[in-house]
Amino acid sequence: MHHSYIDKFSYQNSIIHRLDSRVKVITVLIYTAMVISLPKTYLTVLTCYLVGPFALLVLGKIPLKFAFKQVLLVSPFILVLALSSPFYDRASLTVPFGPITWQISRGWLRCCVILAKFVITMLALIALVSTTRFSALLHGLQKMGVPKILVIQLGFLYRYIFLFIDKVQHILQARAARKMRNLGFKKETKVAAAMLGSLLIKSINAAENVSIAMQARGFDGHFRTLTKSKIKANDIIFALVAVSLMIFLHFIIRPVMT
Amino acid sequence: MHMANELLSVPVAAGTLGIAAAGLGLICRKARTIVTSDKLALMGILGAFIFAAQMVNFQLPAMPGTSGHMVGAVLLAIILGPNLGAIVISSVVIIQCLIFQDGGLLALGCNIINMALVPSYLGYFIYKSITNARSYTPLRFYIGAALASVISIEAGAALVPIEAALSGVLVVPFSTFLITMLGVHLLIGTIEGIITVAVLGYIKQVRPDILAEIIPGKIRLTKKTVLTTFLILAVIIAAGFSLLASDLPDGLEWAYAQRPDQPDFSPAVENKNPKINAVDEFQAKYSPMPDYSTRTAPIGQTLQQQKELAAGWTSFAGVIGSLLTMAFIYIFAWGLKKTKRQEELNSN
């Protein structure tokens, strides 16, 4: 079955894809923190902060349409949060912008700022995961000190999620084909419980088989890989560029524009 | 319940990330002695199960058109024990953040605490204290599972407004947000309780051997763990209540205790937060009626107005500059692609 998951571009090859995952994770984390710490009522400065994720996406050859579509997909919750602010904060403001000046309530301004911050941080996250293979990301995380059990757990999870999503879609399709109306809460719950219970039993059986198969192949709780992640010249250049961009934004653009 | 980056300030995000990382680190160290290599596969696949289980939706009563789904933290804690359950649910939350983008990267710490650590341990503790080995009855087993689901989900939901309020980003009054979250999650928790009990009932009928190992177990939580858990919860609740208390006298004012528009007003709370000061400053700067009086000078002539217009032009320049930069990067990347294709054609 068809899945729309966001790391489908992570197997491409580009300058950004070839970078070490640790450098990218740390850069995106710091960048996100910088965006979040911006004042709540300055909208225009956020456009400058859009440059970073945009550069990553474009240089990483990620289609912009795909990235914005992903942002839209996850936006409903934040939309509710953002749209609640105009109701609580009606103080009116005059915002000059170049040749134009207009009036806006502070609530709406804050709403726009929340949405803009959301778009930028999400684009940064999309840029990270769609330019880094999940296995490389995990390897980097382990190098940065994430416990091994958690890393193995994440690796297993990533391997089996799509298999199980497939299984559950089959089950859901079967229910949709047989159930033509609302059955009432009691019957609905019973059906859902049977679906979940059988899925749980299936997964426990699958786990038994998988662990027998893995032990037969000599698995003793350690993954041994050939890849050695080393910081290369490219990574250092990328880190320097990112740091200078962040310094420029934080110490020059931010004080001037706010 | 996934929190977004925008609900948090950087210090709170960093603090919760630190707490979550330390907690997970401790749990992983503790789990190293329990986990055998065959448990690893079980944990991974049960994580995938939780993922799939969250996709099974069913119609809710009384509200046509809405559907609920399972969260599964308590079910996993019952099946795997709280330590392994917490690791599995945390990994699910991390994957939801990285691959499916539910919840922000900075909010990951909060999300792990709210949805993985608190439900697993609190849920397991409630379940175990109701269903202990000596006085086991099937009824107690089900009541324990149901209550654990409801309370652990409520506890996680209550943490969301507390964390947001600690960050000082709330636009909505804290008590309103808290009551809304608790109300909505009471419903979600009840549904979770019902579905958890129904699934456990189904498994007991079909594969009683899976549950057989779990039921006669002893309480695996030591006294120390329980005490620490309660201590942490107490601190969090105290922080929440102190916010609620200061929230009671006048709605949002706690954030604006220092009022630039009333110079005589001596603030009860000195707020040194630069963001809040920035907002106040902004308000003072752009307010059309500073100090509750209309502007005396005509627009466009005062120093203040000139400053405002200058600020407008700076932001204008900033936006245009950024757009130009992005256009430049786009063209650069396009050119890079083109030359590469040319090279490939030439080499062929």
Side-chain angles (χ1 to χ4, degrees), chain B residues 2-338:
Chain B
H2 288 93
M3 286 179 84
N5 287 330
E6 289 66 31
L7 270 174
L8 294 169
S9 69
V10 175
V12 174
T16 46
L17 265 177
I19 294 174
L24 265 181
L26 267 179
I27 296 165
C28 285
R29 260 184 78 171
K30 216 171 163 188
R32 227 171 3 192
T33 48
I34 321 170
V35 174
T36 47
S37 58
D38 60 318
K39 269 264 168 66
L40 285 174
L42 182 66
M43 282 164 66
I45 287 176
L46 282 184
F49 158 74
I50 289 293
F51 240 94
Q54 291 184 348
M55 293 176 73
V56 175
N57 56 337
F58 49 94
Q59 222 92 50
L60 292 182
M63 295 179 294
T66 53
S67 60
H69 70 79
M70 188 185 203
V71 183
V74 171
L75 183 69
L76 263 197
I78 292 175
I79 291 176
L80 284 175
N83 292 327
L84 300 189
I87 295 176
V88 173
I89 297 283
S90 303
S91 71
V92 170
V93 173
I94 294 171
I95 294 258
Q96 277 172 340
C97 168
L98 289 178
I99 307 292
F100 298 90
Q101 296 184 312
D102 263 342
L105 195 60
L106 271 189
L108 194 56
C110 280
N111 284 331
I112 288 177
I113 293 174
N114 301 347
M115 291 191 292
L117 301 186
V118 168
S120 296
Y121 283 92
L122 189 67
Y124 189 76
F125 178 70
I126 293 166
Y127 160 77
K128 267 298 175 189
S129 42
I130 293 175
T131 323
N132 62 40
R134 265 175 295 143
S135 55
Y136 169 77
T137 58
L139 187 66
R140 273 179 168 238
F141 172 61
Y142 291 131
I143 289 177
L147 267 185
S149 308
V150 177
I151 296 173
S152 62
I153 285 193
E154 283 282 67
L159 287 174
V160 173
I162 291 174
E163 284 151 354
L166 283 177
S167 308
V169 295
L170 278 186
V171 189
V172 187
F174 173 67
S175 40
T176 316
F177 193 18
L178 182 69
I179 290 164
T180 317
M181 281 302 276
L182 286 182
V184 170
H185 285 85
L186 184 65
L187 184 73
I188 295 174
T190 313
I191 303 286
E192 171 79 2
I194 293 171
I195 198 78
T196 306
V197 167
V199 171
L200 285 171
Y202 177 88
I203 292 173
K204 217 174 161 210
Q205 246 178 10
V206 183
R207 280 278 302 270
D209 56 307
I210 294 172
L211 291 178
E213 306 163 16
I214 307 152
I215 290 166
K218 288 188 216 101
I219 295 187
R220 260 180 268 170
L221 288 171
T222 57
K223 218 173 184 177
K224 214 166 73 186
T225 329
V226 175
L227 278 178
T228 348
T229 317
F230 273 105
L231 194 70
I232 293 170
L233 272 180
V235 170
I236 293 169
I237 290 167
F241 271 110
S242 65
L243 276 173
L244 187 63
S246 62
D247 190 40
L248 285 174
D250 53 1
L252 252 183
E253 287 298 275
W254 69 274
Y256 294 93
Q258 207 174 23
R259 299 181 63 171
D261 50 10
Q262 286 181 11
D264 301 333
F265 179 82
S266 60
V269 192
E270 189 103 2
N271 204 324
K272 287 256 158 61
N273 191 330
K275 263 178 281 167
I276 289 164
N277 288 339
V279 174
D280 283 349
E281 215 174 89
F282 186 80
Q283 189 186 11
K285 210 153 87 186
Y286 291 105
S287 170
M289 296 198 296
D291 298 340
Y292 288 130
S293 62
T294 45
R295 282 190 191 289
T296 42
I299 288 174
Q301 287 184 4
T302 55
L303 201 66
Q304 176 99 14
Q305 279 293 322
Q306 276 173 0
K307 243 191 212 162
E308 269 176 40
L309 281 175
W313 279 106
T314 340
S315 51
F316 183 70
V319 171
I320 298 295
S322 310
L323 291 178
L324 281 177
T325 317
M326 285 191 264
F328 173 73
I329 294 168
Y330 194 82
I331 292 165
F332 176 70
W334 182 72
L336 208 69
K337 218 183 332 187
K338 204 150 193 207

